[in-house]
Amino acid sequence: MIIKTKIDKKTDTYKSNFENMKELVSDFKKKSRVVKIGGSLESRKRHIKRGKILPRERIEYLLDNKDDALEIGQIAGYDLNNNETPSGSIISVVGKVSGRDTIIIANDATVKGGTYYPITLKKHLRSLEIARENNLACIHLVDSGGANLKEQTGIFADKEGFGRIFYEMANMSSKGIPQISAVLGSCTAGGAYIPAMSDETVIVKKNGTIFLGGPHLVKAATGEITDEQELGGAELHTRMSGVADYFAEDDYEALNITKRILGNLNYKKENSLKLEQNKEPKYDPQEIYGIVSKDLKEQYNVKEIIARIVDNSELDEFKEDYGTTLVTGFAHIKGFPVGIIANNGILFSESSLKGAHFIQLCEQRGTPIIFLQNISGFMIGKSFEERGIAKDGAKLVNAVSTVTVPKFTVIIGGSFGAGNYAMCGRAYSPRFLFSWPNSKISVMGGEIAARVLLSVKEAQLQKLGQSLKDEKKSKFSKEIIDQFDYEGSPYYASARLWDDGIIDPLDTRKILSLSISYSLNAKRKKGKFGIFRM
Ligand code: COA
């Protein structure tokens, strides 16, 4: 059924929503332009003077078509480390190289010699997780001094430490997921295992070096005086040690060799979905700007958003009149069949049951699921607890956790409390998770949190026969609200890789279609749902 819009573009609400979203998107684009520059002007100049290409240009040169590229974690590191780690100082892009769906992971040597901060490591590991889950070939564009020694406690010893990169690479290689390295700069200490663990490795003359201990470390540890080329240059590794397989004169040659390696993978992508012809939505996606309320508390009909994302604005709604605070239905995005699960208010028992039922349908049919998340949480209160909201919510959480079709989440508004779980938040392993610039994410809204904590405080004081003056109460609440406001921002979340990136709502359709397409590389093994508490 084609969704019939009820939007009136002449209303003041529409116009003010539109302006608000336009401003948020423009602010996002400004931030995105800044992080894409990379390190300081001085270090970029030094990089280029060495005959190297900047990391984003390296990636662009490798890609078959930059329009199909999906950047991951662009905002990572934002406002962290004195803002010295743009994009987490490592750039990750999913795209096609010589026809093979690939993730390219590129160190940015213009930021502290490409050394790893905790956020750099987290992003590298997230990129490898994406590769593993979606069976994407990995290209590592190595140009890094390894561990940032001042940050060593945050990157070394834990399970998700630097060593996990090599563990993931070895395991992916064992599953036939190609691991290819191009060493375009330093590759020091633990970092040396990236090319050493790769299936095939290219190294560039002069700039490319691989060693377990660089000249500084060798001198400090053993007193031996040596230079970089003697220790681990391209000649040494392609002629004597065998640590690298291909010698390249410069960056371009190394990238050309990398493309040829990808071309020799003898891989054919299979598609298990019944594709339809792509039909653009009937309504202009730009109208999403005017529909999304400026104030998260103001409800709008999420079907108006779906109508501007899916093919021909067509949604075959499942249980249209039951559990109406959750919209479920079948649709297509650029020809790919999808199941849509979208919030239209708070989650009740009925909406949870409907969601769990719909997920079972998608599982049976192998249909990918899109979650459009805008949720303040589950309904609370005595009568709802009596009717077992906890066990009905658990059925939805259970289904979301164990369904084996690819899941994709877009946070289009609020993401609060257990609603985040039920709507496939980060912990539920959606293949990709993106957020709109108006989104907010926290365990609960700031105002509610302030009321909860104030109530706890007042109860404590009451026991002591004391009370708070109104002035103190307002100050107490304001501090909590301000904290939640700051920490709930999508930039706070994206900086810490709680998502894979902030996106312009206008690009949602394209980004979802690319995400689905990339996910199809992985063959699905049908699983089993757990026990649903009845
Ligand atoms: N930890 C922390 N900071 C480091 C670092 C490290 N491992 N390696 C380099 N840096 C910092 C430098 O102090 C410098 O900081 P500044 O800009 O504030 O002065 C910045 O990164 C750039 O270093 P520089 O040596 O000027 O750049 P370069 O491009 O000429 O060389 C390296 C980069 C990485 C090749 C070189 O710095 C090096 O060999 N570092 C030591 C690497 C190492 O031994 N790592 C051990 C990991 S276990």
Side-chain angles (χ1 to χ4, degrees):
M1 288 279 283
I2 294 175
I3 296 170
K4 287 211 171 57
T5 189
K6 294 201 174 106
I7 293 300
D8 179 357
K9 296 203 290 187
K10 288 189 214 83
T11 62
D12 288 345
T13 314
Y14 179 93
K15 287 180 194 156
S16 109
N17 286 344
F18 196 97
E19 283 311 309
N20 176 59
M21 184 62 92
K22 209 167 110 187
E23 228 167 85
L24 291 174
V25 170
S26 137
D27 179 50
F28 157 60
K29 292 199 168 156
K30 217 185 292 165
K31 288 186 165 82
S32 156
R33 275 197 299 275
V34 171
V35 297
K36 278 176 164 175
I37 293 171
S40 66
L41 180 63
E42 196 189 310
S43 64
R44 278 181 286 129
K45 274 189 180 160
R46 206 152 51 113
H47 184 92
I48 293 165
K49 222 170 156 191
R50 288 171 172 165
K52 295 188 191 178
I53 321 175
L54 290 166
R56 286 182 182 275
E57 289 168 22
R58 287 170 172 163
I59 293 175
E60 220 168 272
Y61 186 76
L62 275 177
L63 291 170
D64 293 348
N65 178 359
K66 67 177 174 23
D67 288 341
D68 288 349
L70 197 58
E71 183 166 352
I72 303 300
Q74 188 185 76
I75 294 292
Y78 182 81
D79 235 358
L80 296 174
N81 312 311
N82 301 320
N83 254 327
E84 276 180 353
T85 48
S87 295
S89 87
I90 194 163
I91 300 148
S92 279
V93 172
V94 180
K96 264 194 187 7
V97 177
S98 305
R100 172 67 162 109
D101 289 352
T102 301
I103 187 157
I104 307 170
I105 306 166
N107 296 122
D108 188 348
T110 70
V111 184
K112 296 276 177 201
T115 54
Y116 280 66
Y117 288 71
I119 192 65
T120 319
L121 175 63
K122 189 171 183 186
K123 184 161 161 187
H124 199 140
L125 290 175
R126 169 63 188 148
S127 307
L128 295 178
E129 181 177 56
I130 290 174
R132 175 166 42 77
E133 288 181 348
N134 299 289
N135 181 18
L136 303 175
C138 295
I139 298 179
H140 305 263
L141 299 182
V142 188
D143 196 349
S144 159
N148 186 306
L149 296 174
K150 292 182 192 156
E151 301 282 339
Q152 64 101 10
T153 58
I155 55 176
F156 181 59
D158 207 353
K159 183 179 167 208
E160 304 287 301
F162 210 93
R164 194 75 187 181
I165 297 176
F166 319 124
Y167 173 89
E168 290 287 351
M169 288 177 71
N171 277 286
M172 274 195 264
S173 181
S174 81
K175 290 187 178 75
I177 303 177
Q179 302 296 311
I180 313 299
S181 283
V183 181
L184 309 166
S186 309
C187 187
T188 304
Y193 284 103
I194 294 179
M197 301 287 296
S198 289
D199 303 342
E200 291 181 71
T201 291
V202 189
I203 185 165
V204 172
K205 188 171 120 185
K206 214 168 112 215
N207 284 330
T209 51
I210 308 172
F211 27 63
L212 288 186
H216 301 289
L217 180 59
V218 170
K219 189 173 154 210
T222 70
E224 190 184 6
I225 306 287
T226 171
D227 70 33
E228 293 196 337
Q229 293 305 310
E230 263 178 15
L231 263 181
E235 275 91 356
L236 173 99
H237 284 312
T238 51
R239 289 178 195 169
M240 290 170 72
S241 74
V243 173
D245 312 305
Y246 304 89
F247 178 93
E249 285 290 332
D250 57 18
D251 272 23
Y252 285 110
E253 196 186 359
L255 298 174
N256 285 333
I257 296 171
T258 305
K259 287 191 207 188
R260 287 211 299 281
I261 294 173
L262 268 284
N264 285 329
L265 291 175
N266 187 26
Y267 172 82
K268 193 163 168 280
K269 184 172 173 181
E270 281 166 23
N271 169 31
S272 53
L273 300 179
K274 182 175 165 275
L275 303 186
E276 298 277 324
Q277 209 189 340
N278 172 28
K279 287 185 195 148
E280 289 306 305
K282 284 219 168 297
Y283 310 107
D284 182 358
Q286 180 98 53
E287 289 164 7
I288 291 174
Y289 285 20
I291 296 164
V292 175
S293 311
K294 208 162 143 184
D295 180 353
L296 277 184
K297 282 193 225 97
E298 263 172 47
Q299 192 63 45
Y300 58 86
N301 191 345
V302 75
K303 286 183 221 172
E304 297 285 1
I305 304 293
I306 298 171
R308 286 154 180 88
I309 293 178
V310 302
D311 290 4
N312 207 30
S313 304
E314 254 177 301
L315 177 74
D316 290 327
E317 216 178 325
F318 173 70
K319 281 188 185 289
E320 182 177 355
D321 300 321
Y322 179 85
T324 51
T325 57
L326 193 69
V327 173
T328 53
F330 295 102
H332 287 81
I333 294 185
K334 296 213 179 198
F336 295 112
V338 291
I340 304 250
I341 302 185
N343 298 114
N344 221 11
I346 209 157
L347 282 162
F348 290 87
S349 278
E350 294 77 7
S351 31
S352 307
L353 294 173
K354 169 175 161 179
H357 185 164
F358 184 71
I359 289 172
Q360 288 182 316
L361 296 180
C362 293
E363 175 70 7
Q364 284 272 344
R365 299 166 193 187
T367 308
I369 305 176
I370 310 278
F371 291 85
L372 298 178
Q373 191 180 120
N374 177 21
I375 180 69
S376 53
F378 282 93
M379 190 65 200
I380 52 171
K382 193 165 166 289
S383 71
F384 299 99
E385 300 287 359
E386 268 172 17
R387 282 162 52 201
I389 182 89
K391 77 177 184 192
D392 291 335
K395 290 185 190 90
L396 180 54
V397 173
N398 198 333
V400 168
S401 306
T402 50
V403 67
T404 63
V405 294
K407 304 169 280 194
F408 308 89
T409 303
V410 186
I411 304 182
I412 64 170
S415 174
F416 298 110
N420 166 288
Y421 312 153
M423 288 299 291
C424 203
R426 193 61 145 180
Y428 294 82
S429 290
R431 296 286 182 94
F432 295 95
L433 186 155
F434 294 101
S435 311
W436 283 0
N438 59 307
S439 63
K440 283 251 180 308
I441 181 164
S442 51
V443 69
M444 60 177 74
E447 279 171 34
I448 302 272
R451 264 183 255 156
V452 170
L453 289 175
L454 185 61
S455 156
V456 172
K457 184 96 207 148
E458 284 181 322
Q460 279 173 345
L461 290 173
Q462 209 174 15
K463 279 187 209 144
L464 302 171
Q466 297 168 5
S467 64
L468 274 182
K469 287 207 176 97
D470 281 352
E471 211 176 275
K472 281 244 164 90
K473 277 189 204 167
S474 317
K475 186 169 173 281
F476 182 92
S477 300
K478 187 177 176 304
E479 276 172 10
I480 293 159
I481 292 169
D482 288 350
Q483 181 194 338
F484 270 66
D485 263 354
Y486 174 66
E487 295 173 350
S489 136
Y491 293 98
Y492 190 92
S494 215
R496 288 159 180 77
L497 286 171
W498 297 349
D499 64 19
D500 293 315
I502 296 174
I503 58 170
D504 180 350
L506 208 52
D507 295 332
T508 306
R509 176 176 158 78
K510 179 182 171 190
I511 284 172
L512 283 174
S513 74
L514 287 173
S515 304
I516 298 166
S517 171
Y518 289 125
S519 79
L520 297 179
N521 288 285
K523 285 202 187 89
R524 183 169 76 103
K525 272 198 213 110
K526 250 180 125 176
K528 273 193 198 154
F529 290 111
I531 303 293
F532 285 15
R533 182 176 291 279
M534 294 300 174

